[in-house]
Amino acid sequence: MLASLQWLRKYVAVEGVPQELADALTMAGIPVEEVREPGVEIKNVVTGKILSVEPHPNADKLVVCQVDIGTETLQICTGATNVKPGQIVPVAKPNSYLPGGVHITTSKLRGLPSYGMMCSAQELRLDAQFFREAPADGILIMAPETPVGEDVQPYLGLADTIFEFELTPNRADCFCMVGLAREFAALFGSPLHLPEVKVQESGAPASEEARVAIATPLCERLTARLLRDVRVTDSPAWLVEALRSVGIRSINNVVDVTNYVMLEFGLPLHAYDFTTLADGLLQCRETRADETVVTLDGTERKLAAGQLVMADATAAAGLAGIMGGERTEVRPATTTVLLEAAVFNGAEIRRTSRAHGLRSEASGRYERGANPEMTRLALDRTAQLLQEMAACTVAPGYLDEYPQPRPAVQLTVTADAVRGAIGADIPTAEMVRILEALYFKVAEQDGTLTVDVPAFRRDVTLFADIVEEVARLYGYNRIPSLLPYGRTKSGRLSRLQACAETVRDTLSEAGLAETISFSFMTPQDLQKLQFAPEHTVYHAVPVRNPITEEMPQMRTTLLPGLLAVLQTNLAKKNEQVAIYEYGAVFLPDELPLQDLPREAQRVSGLLYGDRGSTRWPATARPVDFYDLKGILETVVEKLGIREYTWQRTDEQPYHPGKAAALTVNKQEVVTCGELHPAAQEAYELPGAVYLFTLDMELLAELADTTVVYEPLPKFPAVERDLAILVPTDVEHETLVYNIRRQGGDLLQAVELFDLYAGDQVPDGFVSMAFALRFSAPDRTLTDADVDQRIQKIMHRLQSFNCRLR
């Protein structure tokens, strides 16, 4: 919002350096984005009257002007075509300065001396659209009553200071001059002088000719006044200049006064040619089917259902709170005007404004919230200004619909609570003074403050709002800086977060790249993954407002997102993919939801394509299940989990017989395997995909990251190889488990180093060779010690029909 310092001084005495004023306002919570002083670079430019215009004797496109500047007459040569005798123009005298550091001196143009320059709007950095006599290629022509020989700055609005405020949406009261003047007065302790509003009424009551109505709850209040004997003319200079200072172009006196009052009090108004309103009715209603309206910008707009319009008895007359209609606009021939001041639902105004791509000064104020108690005052102020211009008479009475008056807000706080919240020892009397300076009514008794909030401060509804008002006027810079009180402790990662970091680091070190996907999914992806219809993954939370139709549910598995990433990579010819994602899956206890779903933390990933280099020396080979198994074993061992087992699993969506689960204490913490062939076909993947999922919450519970240091062994280890024939229905994990149990604490390691099935092995058997390492911390083991353990191992394995090869 733009605000003129000269305009503000009509209400409050404001003195000081503009930038210092801006800094003080910013520190008080009214941020000033920019301070503009349009005339600061202009020096020695005065008003002049053209006495004569003669052709230049040596140039066809130049003329020679004699210009009276009050103290002398200057000869000035110019190429402007719009100059005439008798005009008042801005004159840059010799040794003057224009914006941008332009220095004007005496010069010669085609042999004749030119003492200075007559200025255009562009040369003074004025916006020509705000000056009717300012052609793009000509001299700026000033009002004929402008005195000669005076500094031009006061007459062109250049002696002003313009503040550009970057106000927060909650401070709707500051989107007007009176609201800003209140802040100046409270901050600097100056008295506030608001205009005295008086209207002289005459003639028949307005209610005999006109009526207003509200036909929608989206309009809070609708008030109107009837003006007769209206004269639509140009606005006086003071009004044109006031509007120009804040970037609004003059239209005519009626429209300009409504804009002036909107800027003064913050409530938009609109003027209707009363003779165009059918049955003398002005109503606020919602749109009808296939309704259109031509707005003041000449655009025909098709209205959607539910949008607010101002209308008469037969048709829409404008977009409520945004822009009026061309049919009912005030024209030079208008003699009767119905003035309207209303308060609409801000959210609906914003929706309609965005739908039509149409924003206005009015819509911006309604979006932030308007004060319904202001409607009568704003109408009276408009009528008063027009009466002072002898431009109308005012019909007695208001036309006013206010179905549900807004209740007054009263808050009760204690001075001690305010002091505690601010952290400063502010006297109670000072709090009362600050609040009363901001137009709050305060009753204080024994440290308890009963505060009546003024109607224009609709943002003040809570204790915290009272605290903010006191603190910002007291001065944030006066609040002492104190260290926080209480026990402090160093920040650290939770157990789950620490485990997640370990898992991430380990997977990244193994060559997997981390991805992030949306937390949504579609049931069709679960069907492509071959999950059975009764599987719990279908028990998903629906999204009320999905970002796309393809993501209507919160995800219950990370796999669809990973496979989508794989498909994208393959489409871009990246055929070696190793990725993972850490994130939440959303598991509801029941549907429809009675409570928030549980956000279970998971890590899922996949391997696809070749591992190793495809260049010389070529070491590339297709990834397989054992690549994945090795990575996952590294992950769990990095978490300090040593006692785990692998078991076959039929978990979906893995390939039957090519999937396994890692269990700890009979709890399944990791599943992995090759993607089911049907799912691979559904996703149109040319090669095998190996997937995994880690339950991070279980892993965090089981993780033991305690580092245990052991001395290096003093005695040599004994290694033995054990080759046995094993029935094909006995699993490797069963053999290792039993070998470890029978080997006892002397057996330090078991490793399978050979697997053979061929002509020399009986049918139904496979040859497996294990390397066993034995050692003791207190002695060197003898052959007898190791033989005894080997015998125990073989005795146990014979129960599985195993025998030495």
Side-chain angles (χ1 to χ4, degrees):
M1 164 160 174
L2 301 179
S4 159
L5 185 56
Q6 284 190 358
W7 192 346
L8 287 169
R9 283 176 174 154
K10 293 181 180 180
Y11 315 112
V12 62
V14 181
E15 302 299 335
V17 178
Q19 188 58 56
E20 293 178 357
L21 296 174
D23 293 342
L25 285 166
T26 300
M27 288 300 295
I30 311 296
V32 179
E33 184 72 14
E34 185 182 359
V35 178
R36 305 176 192 168
E37 297 181 82
V40 70
E41 295 183 293
I42 298 176
K43 293 180 175 61
N44 213 18
V45 179
V46 299
T47 58
K49 183 176 183 179
I50 300 176
L51 301 178
S52 65
V53 180
E54 301 292 340
H56 194 292
N58 302 321
D60 295 337
K61 295 185 178 181
L62 296 178
V63 294
V64 181
C65 301
Q66 302 299 321
V67 184
D68 177 14
I69 61 170
T71 58
E72 59 181 315
T73 299
L74 300 178
Q75 176 176 286
I76 299 176
C77 301
T78 179
T81 58
N82 67 322
V83 291
K84 298 177 182 178
Q87 292 174 333
I88 308 297
V89 296
V91 178
K93 299 193 295 183
N95 198 30
S96 61
Y97 289 88
L98 299 180
V102 178
H103 187 204
I104 304 300
T105 61
T106 300
S107 61
K108 280 191 175 183
L109 292 179
R110 301 297 294 270
L112 289 183
S114 181
Y115 300 94
M117 182 179 77
M118 293 181 288
C119 301
S120 68
Q122 289 81 358
E123 287 161 340
L124 296 172
R125 289 199 179 165
L126 296 171
D127 192 337
Q129 68 168 320
F130 296 115
F131 297 88
R132 295 178 181 176
E133 299 296 331
D137 57 349
I139 302 301
L140 172 62
I141 310 301
M142 301 176 68
E145 64 271 15
T146 307
V148 174
E150 300 289 332
D151 189 335
V152 299
Q153 295 200 29
Y155 300 97
L156 296 177
L158 296 170
D160 200 359
T161 298
I162 307 299
F163 295 109
E164 182 177 354
F165 291 91
E166 192 69 26
L167 298 169
T168 52
N170 64 307
R171 291 307 305 269
D173 62 298
C174 288
F175 280 83
C176 64
M177 297 300 172
V178 168
L180 292 171
R182 289 193 193 101
E183 292 293 325
F184 271 100
L187 186 59
F188 300 110
S190 303
L192 183 67
H193 303 288
L194 296 180
E196 184 180 0
V197 180
K198 291 183 179 179
V199 176
Q200 299 296 324
E201 298 178 331
S202 61
S207 57
E208 292 185 3
E209 296 183 53
R211 56 196 176 97
V212 297
I214 294 177
T216 171
L218 298 175
C219 179
E220 188 173 354
R221 187 174 188 179
L222 175 57
T223 312
R225 256 197 182 281
L226 187 64
L227 308 181
R228 302 188 181 102
D229 304 320
V230 174
R231 290 191 310 109
V232 181
T233 63
D234 291 339
S235 296
W238 70 266
L239 180 54
V240 173
E241 180 54 41
L243 296 177
R244 185 168 61 209
S245 70
V246 293
I248 294 181
R249 183 169 55 89
S250 174
I251 305 297
N252 58 55
N253 58 339
V254 176
V255 174
D256 290 354
V257 167
T258 61
N259 285 333
Y260 181 88
V261 174
M262 174 186 69
L263 295 168
E264 186 176 43
F265 287 106
L267 183 68
L269 300 101
H270 191 69
Y272 299 85
D273 185 332
F274 181 67
T275 61
T276 65
L277 297 176
D279 295 340
L281 172 66
L282 180 66
Q283 63 174 327
C284 181
R285 61 170 173 81
E286 297 178 29
T287 52
R288 297 168 181 163
D290 300 325
E291 197 165 16
T292 61
V293 65
V294 179
T295 48
L296 288 172
D297 58 1
T299 303
E300 182 176 4
R301 302 182 186 276
K302 186 175 181 180
L303 306 177
Q307 293 180 347
L308 283 181
V309 292
M310 301 304 297
D312 56 18
T314 60
L319 290 173
I322 301 173
M323 185 175 284
E326 191 176 72
R327 177 174 65 88
T328 58
E329 73 172 317
V330 173
R331 295 177 171 85
T334 299
T335 58
T336 306
V337 167
L338 188 67
L339 280 179
E340 163 253 300
V343 175
F344 308 105
N345 179 276
E348 182 56 40
I349 296 299
R350 177 173 174 79
R351 279 192 290 269
T352 303
S353 174
R354 293 185 65 183
H356 291 282
L358 183 63
R359 287 188 59 82
S360 62
E361 290 281 349
S363 68
R365 285 166 171 78
Y366 281 125
E367 288 172 16
R368 292 170 173 87
N371 178 13
E373 306 304 323
M374 186 63 67
T375 57
R376 290 194 175 194
L377 176 62
L379 290 172
D380 284 348
R381 177 63 168 159
T382 305
Q384 176 194 30
L385 291 173
L386 288 171
Q387 277 191 327
E388 290 174 354
M389 300 174 194
C392 73
T393 59
V394 182
Y398 302 93
L399 307 169
D400 198 354
E401 288 290 323
Y402 195 6
Q404 295 182 331
R406 189 179 296 177
V409 177
Q410 187 179 81
L411 300 173
T412 300
V413 300
T414 65
D416 287 340
V418 175
R419 277 189 284 267
I422 295 175
D425 188 16
I426 305 174
T428 303
E430 176 69 2
M431 293 184 195
V432 173
R433 185 198 67 78
I434 289 172
L435 291 172
E436 288 180 342
L438 291 168
Y439 288 80
F440 293 81
K441 294 181 179 178
V442 185
E444 188 269 332
Q445 184 175 7
D446 300 329
T448 298
L449 308 181
T450 302
V451 183
D452 291 322
V453 180
F456 58 82
R457 289 302 304 275
R458 60 183 297 175
D459 59 305
V460 178
T461 59
L462 304 170
F463 164 75
D465 299 324
I466 298 295
V467 171
E468 180 185 4
E469 295 303 303
V470 173
R472 70 185 185 87
L473 265 292
Y474 177 74
Y476 293 122
N477 57 324
R478 296 174 62 190
I479 299 173
S481 299
L482 301 173
L483 290 174
Y485 174 78
R487 294 183 177 181
T488 59
K489 60 180 181 179
S490 61
R492 62 185 63 185
L493 297 176
S494 68
R495 187 179 180 86
L496 177 60
Q497 290 170 331
C499 289
E501 287 301 306
T502 300
V503 171
R504 278 187 167 121
D505 290 345
T506 306
L507 291 173
S508 297
E509 290 167 3
L512 280 74
E514 184 172 5
T515 66
I516 299 175
S517 60
F518 287 112
S519 298
F520 312 108
M521 67 175 190
T522 175
Q524 285 72 25
D525 282 335
L526 302 180
Q527 294 168 7
K528 288 166 67 175
L529 281 167
Q530 306 304 305
F531 282 107
E534 65 277 6
H535 200 286
T536 56
V537 291
Y538 290 100
H539 198 60
V541 179
V543 179
R544 182 174 296 175
N545 54 337
I547 56 176
T548 72
E549 295 181 357
E550 298 175 354
M551 298 182 179
Q553 295 178 337
M554 303 300 292
R555 68 186 178 190
T556 54
T557 172
L558 303 180
L559 297 179
L562 290 166
L563 287 167
V565 173
L566 173 60
Q567 287 182 310
T568 300
N569 276 268
L570 292 177
K572 297 180 182 297
K573 305 302 181 183
N574 177 21
E575 298 178 350
Q576 289 181 304
V577 181
I579 56 175
Y580 72 94
E581 178 174 3
Y582 174 85
V585 295
F586 303 86
L587 309 177
D589 292 328
E590 58 181 334
L591 290 175
L593 279 179
Q594 302 299 320
D595 202 354
L596 292 176
R598 183 169 71 89
E599 295 187 29
Q601 302 300 308
R602 299 284 188 268
V603 173
S604 291
L606 62 82
L607 302 180
Y608 179 88
D610 294 334
R611 286 180 71 85
S613 174
T614 57
R615 299 179 181 274
W616 185 90
T619 59
R621 61 171 180 79
V623 295
D624 58 26
F625 174 82
Y626 296 101
D627 292 315
L628 184 59
K629 179 173 177 286
I631 292 171
L632 296 175
E633 286 178 341
T634 303
V635 169
V636 296
E637 289 172 8
K638 282 286 186 73
L639 294 174
I641 300 173
R642 299 289 185 269
E643 300 297 328
Y644 59 84
T645 59
W646 285 99
Q647 297 178 351
R648 291 180 184 272
T649 181
D650 294 328
E651 185 90 13
Q652 299 166 351
Y654 301 117
H655 189 305
K658 294 186 179 181
L662 186 148
T663 61
V664 181
N665 298 334
K666 298 183 179 179
Q667 298 183 86
E668 192 175 278
V669 295
V670 180
T671 61
C672 64
E674 183 181 332
L675 180 64
H676 195 287
Q680 179 181 329
E681 182 179 352
Y683 275 94
E684 299 179 354
L685 301 173
V689 183
Y690 295 90
L691 309 168
F692 67 88
T693 295
L694 288 72
D695 187 326
M696 286 305 304
E697 290 159 341
L698 272 178
L699 283 172
E701 289 179 14
L702 299 168
D704 181 8
T705 55
T706 304
V707 179
V708 178
Y709 294 93
E710 296 180 352
L712 293 173
K714 297 180 181 179
F715 304 97
V718 177
E719 296 186 354
R720 293 284 183 90
D721 292 343
L722 188 63
I724 55 177
L725 295 174
V726 182
T728 54
D729 59 350
V730 178
E731 294 183 351
H732 168 263
E733 193 65 36
T734 302
L735 296 177
V736 172
Y737 173 76
N738 284 278
I739 291 172
R740 286 188 178 278
R741 289 199 62 183
Q742 300 306 316
D745 56 356
L746 296 181
L747 180 58
Q748 301 299 312
V750 179
E751 182 180 355
L752 177 68
F753 70 87
D754 185 58
L755 180 68
Y756 175 72
D759 296 338
Q760 300 177 6
V761 177
D763 292 340
F765 286 83
V766 62
S767 173
M768 303 178 73
F770 294 91
L772 312 181
R773 187 172 74 249
F774 296 88
S775 69
D778 56 349
R779 69 186 192 280
T780 299
L781 295 178
T782 65
D783 287 342
D785 294 329
V786 176
D787 289 343
Q788 182 183 7
R789 299 288 175 162
I790 293 293
Q791 290 175 6
K792 290 182 65 176
I793 290 171
M794 285 308 304
H795 180 72
R796 176 59 181 160
L797 295 183
Q798 286 173 1
S799 63
F800 297 98
N801 200 22
C802 298
R803 60 180 184 269
L804 284 172
R805 185 178 174 191

